[in-house]
Amino acid sequence: MIKHEPFFKTILLILLLVSPILVSSSKCTCEEETQEQNTSQNSLITYKLIAIFSILVASTLGVSLPFLVSNISSLNPQGETFALIKAFAAGVILATGFMHILPDAIESLTSPCLNENPWRKFPFTGFFAMLSAIGTLMMETFASGYHKRSELRKAKPLSTTASGGEEIIMNVDHHHHHQDHDGHGNVSDFALERTNSWEVMRHRIVSQVLELGIVVHSVIIGLSLGVSQSSKTIRPLIAALSFHQFFEGMALGGCISLAKFKSKTIVTMILFFSMTTPSGIAVGIGISKMYNSNSPTSLIVEGILNSLSAGILIYMALVDLLANDFMTSLMLTNFRLQLGANLTLLLGACSMSLLAKW
């Protein structure tokens, strides 16, 4: 399941990039937003190319940062400093879902360009976000259950007693039997190996689902910038989206670093995240002449995708990142670390919330 993940992600990216082209030709019930008459197309293209380069660099640096500093002893994954960094990253992800994606989804699905019935008669944004959170839970539990059942089918140490009263540990599998008189060490090693295997698998599931939720939104915000015809809109967005992608990338990179993927998979995931927003901008440039962001189909597609993305990120931040990390023995037995983690959580959430101003 894991080794084919990059392939399925690539297919998903293609579908997400093609869907705006398909919806752009739909009939529009609202007039397009007023465009700047004094801004030349050459100036707009220049700003958009700057945005592609700036966001690409920020995204790549952010998602690569956890790997670049991995050799620093103070940033050991089991240490206090790393726990504070993870709390900050979780705050960034949580604020992204609540402050960036959900408001965009609400704006799209409650637009006056959509029919009042059913779009303003029912809170579809919350409904789709709820469904995606439940779907994420189901996907995680089914994947985790599959891994657990696979672990149980592997070799397990069985304890027996010899005639002299000495305990003997037998590692039993389908092919051979092995006896070891050092019973306690063998059981401990086996339990530790299974625990580590479970933790690695859990981090892999979390990082893949988290990247999926981030990528969906990244494509949409890239597309929005690419089709914009206002330099006053594009200029502040370049800085805001660069910081946005840097913080998100740092959070995602931290999760990927804990998953212990092979180098090829790590590079694929880094490139996949780094390229999504610039690719969205490039597609937006290509379809800017015929794309109408106020057409009903465009609003519905963007609103639903943003709602699903928000549900995924909010669930991941609260359940897989915060609840899991804040309930570890390292955190619960160290009040100073607890206080620091809560402060860095608020700092991450407030920093990302501030970017919503733009």
Side-chain angles (χ1 to χ4, degrees):
M1 179 184 70
I2 298 300
K3 64 181 182 180
H4 298 298
E5 192 69 16
F7 170 77
F8 291 114
K9 287 184 175 183
T10 303
I11 296 298
L12 175 63
L13 176 60
I14 294 173
L15 291 176
L16 288 173
L17 293 179
V18 170
S19 61
I21 300 176
L22 298 178
V23 303
S24 65
S25 60
S26 61
K27 292 183 178 180
C28 141
T29 57
C30 289
E31 295 182 359
E32 297 187 36
E33 295 178 356
T34 303
Q35 300 178 0
E36 285 187 47
Q37 300 298 324
N38 298 326
T39 303
S40 68
Q41 286 300 312
N42 289 337
S43 297
L44 288 174
I45 293 297
T46 300
Y47 285 131
K48 292 174 184 180
L49 292 178
I50 292 173
I52 289 177
F53 176 77
S54 176
I55 292 172
L56 177 62
V57 171
S59 300
T60 305
L61 180 60
V63 75
S64 303
L65 192 61
F67 300 96
L68 298 176
V69 300
S70 60
N71 294 326
I72 300 177
S73 58
S74 61
L75 296 179
N76 185 288
Q78 306 302 323
E80 295 183 5
T81 303
F82 196 79
L84 296 178
I85 293 174
K86 287 198 292 182
F88 178 87
V92 168
I93 296 298
L94 189 62
T96 300
F98 274 118
M99 299 300 297
H100 291 259
I101 308 181
L102 266 185
D104 288 346
I106 293 172
E107 183 179 0
S108 295
L109 295 182
T110 59
S111 171
C113 298
L114 298 179
N115 293 330
E116 183 175 357
N117 189 17
W119 297 106
R120 292 196 293 281
K121 295 289 187 180
F122 184 79
F124 281 101
T125 303
F127 178 69
F128 287 121
M130 177 188 69
L131 288 183
S132 70
I134 295 174
T136 304
L137 170 66
M138 290 180 176
M139 182 164 52
E140 282 195 355
T141 54
F142 282 125
S144 301
Y146 174 81
H147 177 70
K148 277 287 189 183
R149 291 189 293 271
S150 298
E151 285 292 312
L152 291 174
R153 287 194 291 267
K154 291 181 180 179
K156 291 188 273 189
L158 299 178
S159 176
T160 60
T161 304
S163 56
E166 183 180 14
E167 185 181 19
I168 301 175
I169 298 298
M170 302 176 65
N171 282 333
V172 182
D173 61 19
H174 298 296
H175 303 290
H176 65 277
H177 300 277
H178 172 71
Q179 292 185 343
D180 191 338
H181 291 277
D182 187 14
H184 295 290
N186 214 2
V187 171
S188 299
D189 291 344
F190 181 82
L192 180 60
E193 180 182 353
R194 289 187 62 181
T195 300
N196 290 338
S197 175
W198 162 245
E199 284 297 314
V200 169
M201 178 57 66
R202 179 186 159 278
H203 286 307
R204 289 183 177 182
I205 295 171
V206 168
S207 61
Q208 289 170 343
V209 176
L210 183 61
E211 180 160 12
L212 175 64
I214 291 174
V215 159
V216 172
H217 179 58
S218 296
V219 172
I220 294 174
I221 60 177
L223 175 67
S224 299
L225 190 150
V227 299
S228 176
Q229 299 298 311
S230 170
S231 61
K232 291 182 179 178
T233 300
I234 296 174
R235 282 197 297 264
L237 278 179
I238 294 175
L241 291 182
S242 295
F243 281 109
H244 180 280
Q245 292 300 104
F246 176 81
F247 286 138
E248 273 193 347
M250 189 173 64
L252 177 61
C255 291
I256 296 175
S257 67
L258 294 174
K260 297 181 180 179
F261 285 113
K262 293 181 179 179
S263 298
K264 183 179 178 180
T265 303
I266 292 174
V267 171
T268 300
M269 295 182 74
I270 289 176
L271 290 176
F272 190 79
F273 168 77
S274 302
M275 294 299 296
T276 46
T277 302
S279 298
I281 297 173
V283 172
I285 293 173
I287 65 173
S288 59
K289 293 295 184 182
M290 57 182 176
Y291 182 87
N292 177 17
S293 59
N294 287 329
S295 71
T297 308
S298 298
L299 290 168
I300 292 171
V301 170
E302 290 181 11
I304 291 176
L305 288 178
N306 272 331
S307 299
L308 296 176
S309 178
I312 292 173
L313 295 187
I314 291 170
Y315 171 88
M316 300 293 292
L318 292 175
V319 178
D320 288 322
L321 300 179
L322 291 175
N324 183 71
D325 292 340
F326 275 55
M327 291 299 173
T328 60
S329 57
L330 174 67
M331 190 76 71
L332 296 177
T333 57
N334 189 332
F335 176 75
R336 183 172 62 87
L337 178 60
Q338 260 189 324
L339 182 61
N342 280 277
L343 291 176
T344 52
L345 166 63
L346 289 172
L347 179 62
C350 291
S351 299
M352 196 54 135
S353 298
L354 183 62
L355 295 178
K357 181 178 183 295
W358 293 277

